[in-house]
Amino acid sequence: MEKLAYFDSSHDFPEEIAMAAGFTPYKILGDVKERNDPADQYIQNFICPAARSFMTDALTHSSEWAGIVLAHGCDVTHRFYDVWKMHVETPFLYFLYVPMKYGTKSAATFYKKEMQRFIKALETQYGVEITDDKLKEAIVLSNSIKERMQKLSSLRGEKDISNAEYFDACVKSVQMPREDLIGVLDSLLEAWGERAAFPADKKKILLTGSDVTYPEWMDMLDEASMRVVRDDLSIGERSFAVLIPDKQDPLEAIIEYKFTMPRPATKNPPDPRFDYLFKALKDSGIKTVVSQNVKFCEPYAFDSVYLVKALKAKGYNVIQLEREYSPTKDMQIINRLEAFNEMKGETA
Amino acid sequence: MSETTTASGQAPAGPPRKRVERLQATNQLGKIIKGYLVRTSMASKLPWKKTAWITAGFPAELCYMFGITPVHPENAACISGSAKISLKLIEYAESLGFSRDLCSYFKTNVGAVGKKVGPAQGGINKPTFLASTNTICDTHVKWFQTQAREFGVPYFQFDTPNAVSGIDDEHMEEYIDYMADQVHEFMDFATKLTGKKLTEKRYNEVLEKSARLSDLWQEIYEYRKLVPTPVSFQDTMAAIFPLVILPGLDIGIKFYEALLKDIKARVASNTGAVTKEEEKYRVLFEGIPMWYKISFFHQLANYGAIVTYEPYTFSFGPKKKTGLPMEQMIRELARLIIDTPYNYSVEKRIKYFENVIDEYKINGVILHSNMSCRPSCTGMIDLKNAIQNDKGIPVWLMDCDMDDPRAYAEEPMQNRMESFIELMAANKK
């Protein structure tokens, strides 16, 4: 099955439409180990390094993809569309505006029209027919994946599962052929179920902020004796925390799903994002939060000041980090995390 | 430190100071701004008055229609920059945890509120509500979410879809449907807040005055095509004030009429902002100026480089249609929110710039690669390459920041300016 690649800044792209068109939705995640020189010919280095890495990925791998969709998330997505249009070779480059304002009637109406237009564009480009039945089938498959991811996610707090292993499962869930994915996730569920109990020397944390797109950063958390057992990241809980509702109109089901999933910092109003985090902490009993943003990622940098203050006021231990986009082990960050761990003694 | 000296106290290197004559009517602006600041300050203290913080990209006319006083924190941040206190305010915001990478206007605003500075230094009072679009940047949304939460007041957002390169007319109309729906939602919001129901008469009255203001601005820009230009950036950078915050009122119209009277007098006497001989190079400046370093433009002028076109100031005065039924007027307003030069796609921006370069006889372009305005900078490298290739004129991609003086280093900037001038000189031979 061919890949339809997409670039969104959170979980904005409606993967089910690509699946109904017969494609594997493939989330572009860049390669942190590759230099950004190809993208840096066109983009200044004070613009999101992750997005520049995605562009490098597109410049070097677009021939492996049937087409590319940029779904609006943050400013970078639509501004990059213009630049990609000039330089990335692909038979199909599409921009899908996903409302920034969630929950209003006008936003829902507009979002539906945008998805209908996108469906028409796919049908015209690839000679496929995307029916409601096919969309519903895709939703069923998508929900099966989400259910398995929910189970895997819940094992993080019970078993000895490294941060990078969880991250790897999340990456598979947004890049692998979805039919094959079910089997892979079932095997993981079986394997993780047999793992040793959660290690006593690790602290359970909630991870929030910019999306982490490479495993090396997750390894650093392990090295600092921290285990992510809850999060609200797009390569994480955001993409599976809620299921797509069962509705007569599949597009309306997708809209309701998008409006109710754990909210990224790129949407308005912002409060549901914080509410999700507060509830996750309350439900899980976790006392420690690592909030981070990758350099130049503005939406999360804006939110972090309030979030840190609010979490502290609620009695949680919280650390805010700004990280480089780099696979290199950052000992300064590890030292800070270790010191933070030592100062905040409890292991809950 | 004076803005004409370096950190070491030395005057910057370069040719002797050349005077750029500002229009006499520009002097009226101080009084207009003071009057506005007094009115907004009063309005925020009177319990029956409603005030709204708005941003660039949000039609201030919508406030005037409901008798709401619009207040512009970006404009206030310019005042802080010009008053050379923005750094102090930015550092205050950073002390609260806001990243060095965040918009310097935003941090100036956080500092101005937190440190309670006066209006003459960019101080700004708590509003009844905040309203913005995301037309220019998502930063406007994050900024206003942050401040609305801080003040405990409502925030209304216009969700503006992005008109990317190659969008067709039918798709654009769909975008406008969504924006028009949101204009109605704003009207419901404002009606609830003010208790005032908007009439078609009032709507048209405000928009007609706003259209008149834009027409005058466009006329001013027509005169800038002349050599020597009768109007330089030294006038327009401040003269946009009525377009930003006073559209729909008479005061701006009178001011622009006075400006035009001066311009016409200059043209009749064949004089310009500088003489024809002194105007060696006509420069297009893209982006927000460095408010803490306005002398940069004087330094340019010392070399005979006069800024004769700025997409930034032009953007605030687009042509506006009038005399249409209210629903159509709402769609036109919605169209303008989406389709402004400052928000053009890269493809459209290239065409726009290349037309301007021809029409305004531009010899060189400065693109402000502004660390506080990443969306406007994305695509600038393609814009630079296209202009250089298609028009054969030098383009300076200038890394700096609009309100954070830490981004400006005198000597490197001076060196780059000299190189830019040399390239324009070589190109003219």
Side-chain angles (χ1 to χ4, degrees), chain B residues 110-127:
Chain B
V110 168
V113 171
K115 291 186 86 69
K116 297 184 174 59
V117 299
Q121 293 187 307
I124 181 166
N125 291 330
K126 175 183 169 178

Side-chain angles (χ1 to χ4, degrees), chain B residues 37-51 68-69 71 125-126 128:
Chain B
L37 292 176
V38 169
R39 280 198 307 281
T40 52
S41 184
M42 292 274 287
S44 65
K45 284 173 187 146
L46 300 172
W48 61 90
K49 291 274 189 187
K50 309 291 181 202
T51 61
I68 297 163
T69 305
V71 189
N125 291 330
K126 175 183 169 178
T128 314

Side-chain angles (χ1 to χ4, degrees), chain A residues 4 34 90 110 194 200-201 236 240 247 251 286 310 319 336:
Chain A
L4 186 67
E34 289 293 323
T90 176
F110 172 71
E194 290 166 8
D201 61 339
F240 58 76
K247 285 177 97 90
L251 293 184
I286 297 169
I319 185 168
R336 278 186 69 190

Side-chain angles (χ1 to χ4, degrees), chain B residues 304-330:
Chain B
I306 307 298
V307 175
T308 48
Y309 192 96
E310 319 87 38
Y312 166 66
T313 58
F314 186 77
S315 286
F316 284 94
K319 275 271 178 208
K320 290 168 187 167
K321 289 184 185 168
T322 53
L324 301 167
M326 188 152 163
E327 270 314 307
Q328 268 178 270
M329 290 281 272
I330 286 174

Side-chain angles (χ1 to χ4, degrees), chain B residues 299-373:
Chain B
Q299 282 171 245
L300 267 180
N302 293 344
Y303 290 98
I306 307 298
V307 175
T308 48
Y309 192 96
E310 319 87 38
Y312 166 66
T313 58
F314 186 77
S315 286
F316 284 94
K319 275 271 178 208
K320 290 168 187 167
K321 289 184 185 168
T322 53
L324 301 167
M326 188 152 163
E327 270 314 307
Q328 268 178 270
M329 290 281 272
I330 286 174
R331 288 189 71 77
E332 287 310 312
L333 186 70
R335 188 186 307 277
L336 285 176
I337 296 174
I338 301 176
D339 197 22
T340 71
Y342 206 67
N343 195 40
Y344 282 166
S345 66
V346 175
E347 275 180 10
K348 202 167 172 182
R349 213 171 174 193
I350 290 169
K351 279 185 198 151
Y352 164 57
F353 274 58
E354 292 188 349
N355 280 337
V356 165
I357 287 163
D358 291 340
E359 284 186 18
Y360 286 78
K361 304 168 192 75
I362 299 294
N363 304 112
V365 173
I366 302 174
L367 302 176
H368 184 182
S369 184
N370 182 349
M371 288 191 225
S372 275
C373 195

Side-chain angles (χ1 to χ4, degrees), chain B residues 101-121:
Chain B
D101 298 331
L102 289 176
C103 169
S104 57
Y105 272 178
F106 161 71
K107 286 184 289 183
T108 301
N109 174 245
V110 168
V113 171
K115 291 186 86 69
K116 297 184 174 59
V117 299
Q121 293 187 307

